[in-house]
């Protein structure tokens, strides 16, 4: 049997280091066994999936050197490799489950479901569909469907007993069926949910080993049951521990940059990032800390995956990156890589139109643009001593801008301009006043190159990271404050990004 693994990112945001982590281990496992590694785009959440996010994910994984044997861009024998192009396949499988009575139509309104959940929670029970529509006769359900009544399709789940999940690393995990929901497989709009798509696709794509994050362990019983309903062989499950912030909470962008693009923009080497991700979840037989992707594949042994919490420590990554720079790049290679990073013609051409008007001599260029090539700026709270705004207003401006910019798909000066002008307007503030804190957060100074152009050159990851950094420099935002701000932000009447 040929080993086949996959990574199945959802294109709903920035390319996450956690995706690279799963891709790395999936690829090493497959290639160590002479097998194949597949990339599948799981865009079952049509409202949140975007082509820009998909492209960014593909580009970032390629930049890291994680290449796939089959995928949406390279094709392969099991194409298409994008869920949204496989709807007919899912519909056919839902029908098969309905025909075999393993699934049923559910017509419950969201009001009924909410009331049911509230009551279950009030009595200390697991919130779970109560099975009302599972009792409908086939004929009645079909008549209501034909009459056009809105419905979803749910899977049947046993009322009692225990499901044993076998995990190659963790052994046997027992989960009571009474804690497993009668999962929706097909939404009211006819689209599949992740749970149906992942099972159908993994089977049809002949995936033998599923390596994914621990957050999916509780979903495993649903998947095991679906494999049983279809009469298919279950792939081997391997749940890796999730990457963590230094305080052991799940890695989150509020506490740690999570986008691969950020690390690229900061000038980390892809080989050092891969090495670090490898080191977080695994160790070389000789315990050496520095190793290449090829060495990791050669020596890969799944049993050496650690089940400790992998804390993503940017300082340690920087230390390792320094070793790669010093030990593996001679001066020529250093020059090449530096120019590949940001001192290349394309990048220079992005900001030369900005500075040409403003300099008399070349010697002014580097001081004027240093903030465009730097990582985090050396800011202090004093830099934000502004006459017309106090610190809490400044933090609010930075946070509102950040929320809007996190949702911005097309990172171009005019879009950034419209977006920020929109918030200033809805806050009833003069644009220049509103922009000043952003200007300081982005450039480190109160006089510099134009803000929107600078943000375009800096790119989304670093621009957002600088805003987050400025908020932290100003003492951060407490949970309570964050809730209050979120409420106010949602109440703003402004065009959506
Ligand atoms: N689309 C899921 C995710 O992005 C994949 C989970 C899985 O690997 O099954 O987390």
């Amino acid at each position: 049997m040929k080993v086949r693994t996959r990574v199945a990112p959802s294109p709903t945001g920035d390319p996450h280091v956690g995706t690279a982590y799963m891709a790395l281990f999936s690829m090493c496992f497959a290639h160590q066994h002479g097998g194949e590694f597949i990339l599948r785009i799981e865009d079952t959440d049509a409202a949140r999936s975007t082509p820009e996010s998909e492209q960014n994910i593909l580009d970032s994984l390629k930049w890291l050197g994680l290449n796939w044997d089959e995928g949406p861009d390279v094709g392969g024998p099991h194409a298409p490799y994008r869920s949204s192009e496989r709807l007919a396949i899912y519909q056919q499988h839902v029908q098969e489950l309905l025909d075999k009575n393993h699934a049923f139509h559910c017509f419950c309104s969201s009001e009924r479901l909410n009331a049911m959940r509230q009551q279950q929670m009030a009595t200390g029970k697991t919130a779970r569909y109560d099975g009302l529509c599972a009792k409908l006769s086939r004929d009645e359900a079909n008549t209501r469907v034909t009459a056009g009544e809105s419905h979803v399709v749910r899977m049947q789940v046993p009322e009692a007993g225990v499901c044993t999940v076998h995990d190659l690393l963790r052994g046997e995990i027992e989960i009571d069926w009474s804690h497993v929901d009668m999962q929706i497989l097909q939404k009211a709009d006819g689209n599949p949910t992740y749970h149906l798509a992942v099972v159908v696709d993994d089977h049809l794509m002949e995936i033998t080993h599923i390596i994914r994050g621990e957050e999916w362990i509780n979903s495993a019983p649903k998947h095991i049951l679906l494999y049983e309903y279809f009469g298919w062989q279950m792939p081997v499950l391997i749940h890796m521990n999730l990457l963590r912030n230094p305080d052991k909470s799940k890695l989150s962008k509020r506490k740690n940059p999570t986008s691969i693009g950020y690390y690229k923009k900061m000038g980390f080497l892809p080989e050092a990032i891969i090495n670090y991700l490898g080191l977080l979840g695994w160790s070389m037989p000789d315990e050496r800390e520095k190793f290449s992707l090829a060495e990791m594949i050669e020596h890969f042994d799944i049993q050496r995956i650690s089940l400790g919490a992998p804390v993503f420590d940017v300082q340690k990554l920087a230390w390792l990156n320094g070793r790669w720079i010093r030990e593996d790049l001679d001066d020529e290679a250093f020059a090449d890589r530096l120019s590949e990073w940001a001192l290349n013609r394309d990048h220079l051409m992005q900001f030369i139109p900005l500075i040409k008007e403003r300099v008399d001599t070349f010697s002014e260029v580097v001081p004027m643009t240093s903030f465009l090539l730097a990582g985090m700026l050396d800011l202090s709270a004093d830099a934000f001593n502004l006459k017309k705004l106090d610190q809490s207003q400044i933090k609010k401006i930075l946070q509102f801008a950040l929320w809007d910019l996190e949702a911005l798909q097309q990172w171009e000066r005019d879009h950034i301009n419209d977006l920020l002008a929109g918030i200033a307007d809805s806050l009833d503030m003069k644009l220049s006043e509103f922009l000043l804190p952003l200007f300081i957060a982005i450039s480190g100074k109160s006089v510099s190159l134009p803000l929107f152009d600078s943000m375009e050159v800096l790119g989304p990851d670093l621009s957002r990271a600088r805003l987050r950094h400025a908020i932290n420099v100003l003492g951060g935002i407490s949970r309570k404050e964050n809730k209050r701000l979120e409420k106010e932000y949602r109440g703003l009447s402004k065009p959506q990004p």
Side-chain angles (χ1 to χ4, degrees):
M1 180 191 61
K2 187 168 233 174
V3 168
R4 284 173 58 87
T5 62
R6 59 32 168 205
V7 70
S10 299
T12 53
D14 295 335
H16 199 281
V17 284
T19 303
Y21 187 62
M22 296 308 157
L24 170 65
F25 282 86
S26 300
M27 177 182 160
C28 285
F29 184 75
H31 288 181
Q32 211 279 327
H33 286 88
E36 281 142 5
F37 166 58
I38 287 99
L39 184 130
R40 183 173 71 229
I41 291 291
E42 233 156 49
D43 53 354
T44 48
D45 186 343
R48 291 177 59 229
S49 299
T50 66
E52 289 85 6
S53 167
E54 174 182 322
Q55 196 56 51
N56 271 338
I57 293 173
L58 299 189
D59 291 346
S60 299
L61 294 178
K62 273 186 213 157
W63 176 70
L64 288 171
L66 299 170
N67 296 317
W68 39 96
D69 304 293
E70 296 166 28
D73 54 339
V74 292
H78 301 283
Y81 291 91
R82 204 178 273 118
S83 316
S84 56
E85 293 166 20
R86 300 173 64 79
L87 296 185
I89 303 176
Y90 306 129
Q91 267 151 14
Q92 184 193 328
H93 285 87
V94 167
Q95 195 54 50
E96 185 181 333
L97 294 174
L98 285 166
D99 292 344
K100 291 184 184 161
N101 252 335
H102 293 315
F104 59 92
H105 293 106
C106 172
F107 304 90
C108 291
S109 65
S110 50
E111 290 79 26
R112 176 177 185 275
L113 294 173
N114 284 340
M116 176 197 80
R117 273 186 218 115
Q118 268 168 17
Q119 206 191 355
Q120 285 169 335
M121 270 143 64
T123 49
K125 293 193 188 128
T126 311
R128 176 182 194 261
Y129 182 62
D130 59 5
L132 182 72
C133 290
K135 297 184 196 111
L136 295 175
S137 74
R138 272 295 251 331
D139 284 350
E140 182 181 348
N142 286 338
T143 314
R144 288 170 72 173
V145 170
T146 319
E149 197 174 328
S150 170
H151 65 274
V152 299
V153 176
R154 292 180 184 270
M155 67 188 285
Q156 300 271 14
V157 171
E159 287 295 320
V162 170
C163 173
T164 306
V165 178
H166 298 272
D167 181 290
L168 193 63
L169 293 177
R170 297 163 195 261
E172 296 193 343
I173 304 162
E174 300 207 322
I175 298 177
D176 283 354
W177 282 118
S178 63
H179 290 152
V180 180
D181 202 2
M182 294 180 196
Q183 178 63 50
I184 296 179
L185 300 176
Q186 192 177 61
K187 303 179 225 174
D189 62 6
N191 282 322
T193 55
Y194 155 75
H195 301 280
L196 177 78
V198 74
V199 167
V200 170
D201 291 344
D202 282 340
H203 173 73
L204 295 179
M205 294 182 184
E206 298 175 28
I207 300 303
T208 58
H209 295 74
I210 297 176
I211 300 181
R212 65 179 164 201
E214 61 188 316
E215 80 266 40
W216 297 108
I217 292 178
N218 286 335
S219 299
K222 295 171 190 170
H223 302 174
I224 292 171
L225 199 56
L226 286 174
Y227 277 92
E228 234 175 81
Y229 287 165
F230 285 120
W232 296 338
Q233 189 182 342
M234 181 74 198
V236 177
L237 291 178
I238 298 156
H239 290 98
M240 305 264 308
N241 281 348
L242 288 179
L243 299 179
R244 305 266 153 193
N245 294 314
D247 65 6
K248 299 283 169 77
S249 56
K250 185 177 148 191
L251 193 67
S252 63
K253 59 185 168 199
R254 271 189 77 190
K255 300 197 178 153
N256 225 332
T258 53
S259 166
I260 299 167
Y262 168 84
Y263 293 94
K264 182 175 182 192
K265 201 76 189 171
M266 286 293 286
F268 285 92
L269 299 173
E271 50 269 54
I273 300 176
I274 285 292
N275 182 174
Y276 185 58
L277 291 175
L279 203 54
L280 277 179
W282 183 81
S283 57
M284 269 282 184
D286 62 5
E287 302 283 339
R288 90 184 95 125
E289 288 198 296
K290 186 160 163 275
F291 49 82
S292 67
L293 178 57
E295 287 166 331
M296 182 166 167
I297 293 172
E298 187 189 336
H299 296 282
F300 194 71
D301 171 2
I302 196 100
Q303 297 303 339
R304 294 190 65 82
I305 288 187
S306 135
L307 282 180
V311 172
F312 194 94
D313 175 352
V314 183
Q315 305 282 327
K316 173 119 197 230
L317 170 60
W319 166 82
L320 196 57
N321 201 67
R323 277 193 64 185
W324 275 92
I325 285 188
R326 286 185 292 277
E327 295 169 22
D328 290 73
L329 303 183
D330 61 21
D331 292 357
E332 287 289 331
F334 189 105
D336 289 344
R337 299 292 290 268
L338 184 62
S339 106
E340 202 181 292
W341 168 66
L343 299 184
N344 58 61
R345 207 165 176 86
D346 286 350
H347 196 232
L348 293 179
M349 292 309 276
Q350 264 193 304
F351 59 79
I352 284 177
L354 284 181
I355 54 172
K356 213 168 98 184
E357 312 267 306
R358 295 176 166 82
V359 296
D360 295 320
T361 60
F362 289 152
S363 57
E364 291 163 66
V365 171
V366 170
M368 191 176 282
T369 55
S370 64
F371 77 102
L372 294 175
L373 294 166
M376 280 320 172
L377 304 176
D378 197 7
L379 281 180
S380 72
D382 290 344
F384 292 92
N385 272 338
L386 305 177
K387 265 194 226 112
K388 296 202 175 143
L389 297 169
D390 65 28
Q391 293 216 338
S392 76
Q393 286 169 308
I394 294 176
K395 281 197 271 188
K396 178 165 109 179
I397 289 173
L398 293 169
Q399 185 59 66
F400 280 14
L402 186 55
W403 279 328
D404 258 23
L405 291 166
E406 275 171 354
L408 183 64
Q409 301 288 347
Q410 283 163 311
W411 196 262
E412 286 157 21
R413 72 174 303 285
D414 292 343
H415 293 288
I416 300 172
N417 185 350
D418 293 348
L419 200 72
L420 297 178
I423 322 179
D425 213 34
S426 50
L427 286 175
D428 224 0
M429 284 184 74
K430 264 182 41 201
L431 186 60
S432 55
E433 218 167 88
F434 175 84
L435 292 181
L436 194 53
L438 298 166
F439 203 93
I440 299 168
I442 293 292
S443 70
K445 291 175 274 191
S446 47
V447 182
S448 183
L449 296 175
L451 178 65
F452 307 133
D453 298 276
S454 303
M455 288 173 78
E456 181 175 324
V457 175
L458 271 178
D461 299 300
L462 207 48
S463 300
R464 293 172 190 148
R466 286 202 186 156
L467 299 188
R468 272 184 216 109
H469 179 57
I471 294 173
N472 288 338
V473 163
L474 289 167
I477 295 176
S478 68
R479 235 170 231 265
K480 199 167 144 212
E481 186 61 4
N482 195 55
K483 270 211 174 126
R484 203 189 58 71
L485 286 178
E486 252 172 10
K487 204 163 154 212
E488 187 180 339
Y489 176 72
R490 268 189 300 219
L492 290 182
S493 55
K494 60 181 179 57
Q496 287 305 305

